[in-house]
Amino acid sequence: GKTSVARLVGRLLHTLGVTKSTNFVEVQRSDLVAEHVGQTGPKTRKMIEQARGGVLFVDEAYRLVKSTDGKDFGPEAIEEIMQDMTTGDPLVIMAGYRDDMGKFLEANAGLARRFPITIDFPNYSTKELAAIFELKLHKAGFRLAHGVTSNQVAAALDEHTTEEYRVMRNGGVAEALLREALDAQEARLDPENFDRAESEEIRLSDVVEAAKALR
């Protein structure tokens, strides 16, 4: 996902001598923004200092300007981060959904200028999500039942999930499908007639039930 790519970029920059270390600090809105006046600046500054020498990765950065009630302290966190961006220490990487990030960069006149490089990752196709699902399935100690193919998993996603859902969840679809498939398998198996081999495989029916459960 986004965090994995950001970590790889951080390591590459360290290898190239751009950053002093492989230090990588991941934060979200809750790590930066406080509830009361005067607390957000120090809270954000603490995370900046933790990331010194490496990378400060702000995931779902657009949430810093999410509130419209006039009482939000997100912009204060943005201003605090911007103070250090001219030095490049820490190097700041921000990520989020394309449209939301576009609005985020427009929210502050200096933001777009400080982020000259934008990397746009296309959404995963259902075939790619099926491949990710299989990898996660194997890592969890399970396997697809004999005869079940990756194409059938992709077809189940195509039929039972909407494109809107897949775009919003992207790689998270595979993780959600895995959880639901394991739940479907557990509901199907008879605990009084335990069979180890069967308990380690996921049938197509499990995948279909899992895909139907995704909303």
Side-chain angles (χ1 to χ4, degrees):
K2 301 185 297 295
T3 302
S4 297
V5 172
R7 286 185 182 276
L8 288 173
V9 170
R11 292 172 188 166
L12 176 61
L13 292 173
H14 175 60
T15 300
L16 295 174
V18 177
T19 57
K20 298 177 182 178
S21 73
T22 57
N23 188 22
F24 184 91
V25 176
E26 178 182 359
V27 297
Q28 295 187 355
R29 176 187 168 87
S30 60
D31 301 305
L32 304 173
V33 181
E35 297 180 358
H36 303 290
V37 176
Q39 295 181 343
T40 292
K43 189 174 184 179
T44 301
R45 175 56 49 185
K46 180 180 178 180
M47 304 310 296
I48 292 172
E49 295 303 323
Q50 286 184 18
R52 287 291 182 200
V55 171
L56 177 67
F57 174 59
V58 186
D59 195 14
E60 297 184 347
Y62 57 86
R63 295 181 61 217
L64 293 175
V65 291
K66 186 175 182 180
S67 177
T68 58
D69 60 9
K71 300 178 182 179
D72 184 62
F73 302 117
E76 185 179 342
I78 296 174
E79 292 291 344
E80 192 71 28
I81 292 173
M82 286 175 60
Q83 290 182 25
D84 289 74
M85 289 188 67
T86 55
T87 67
D89 184 18
L91 189 140
V92 180
I93 299 177
M94 293 188 174
Y97 295 112
R98 181 192 305 166
D99 292 344
D100 290 323
M101 289 302 290
K103 295 175 183 177
F104 167 72
L105 293 175
E106 294 172 357
N108 185 300
L111 273 175
R113 185 172 66 253
R114 286 174 169 82
F115 287 97
I117 300 175
T118 301
I119 303 175
D120 188 11
F121 295 97
N123 297 312
Y124 288 117
S125 67
T126 51
K127 287 187 176 182
E128 290 170 329
L129 289 171
I132 296 172
F133 167 77
E134 279 200 77
L135 288 173
K136 289 181 175 293
L137 189 68
H138 293 157
K139 187 174 182 180
F142 297 86
R143 64 181 181 276
L144 289 175
H146 179 70
V148 180
T149 67
S150 182
N151 284 340
Q152 289 175 313
V153 175
L157 286 172
D158 273 320
E159 182 176 356
H160 300 293
T161 63
T162 64
E163 182 177 2
E164 180 182 9
Y165 171 82
R166 295 194 298 270
V167 168
M168 287 299 295
R169 297 294 300 273
N170 209 11
V173 173
E175 185 69 37
L177 185 67
L178 175 61
R179 290 196 303 269
E180 295 293 344
L182 293 179
D183 285 346
Q185 183 224 45
E186 183 177 2
R188 173 176 55 80
L189 294 178
D190 182 358
E192 295 184 1
N193 294 293
F194 179 78
D195 181 277
R196 178 172 295 278
E198 188 176 4
S199 71
E200 295 175 350
E201 68 178 24
I202 297 296
R203 294 181 180 179
L204 180 59
S205 60
D206 298 326
V207 174
V208 170
E209 288 302 313
K212 288 179 179 179
L214 300 183
R215 295 290 186 272

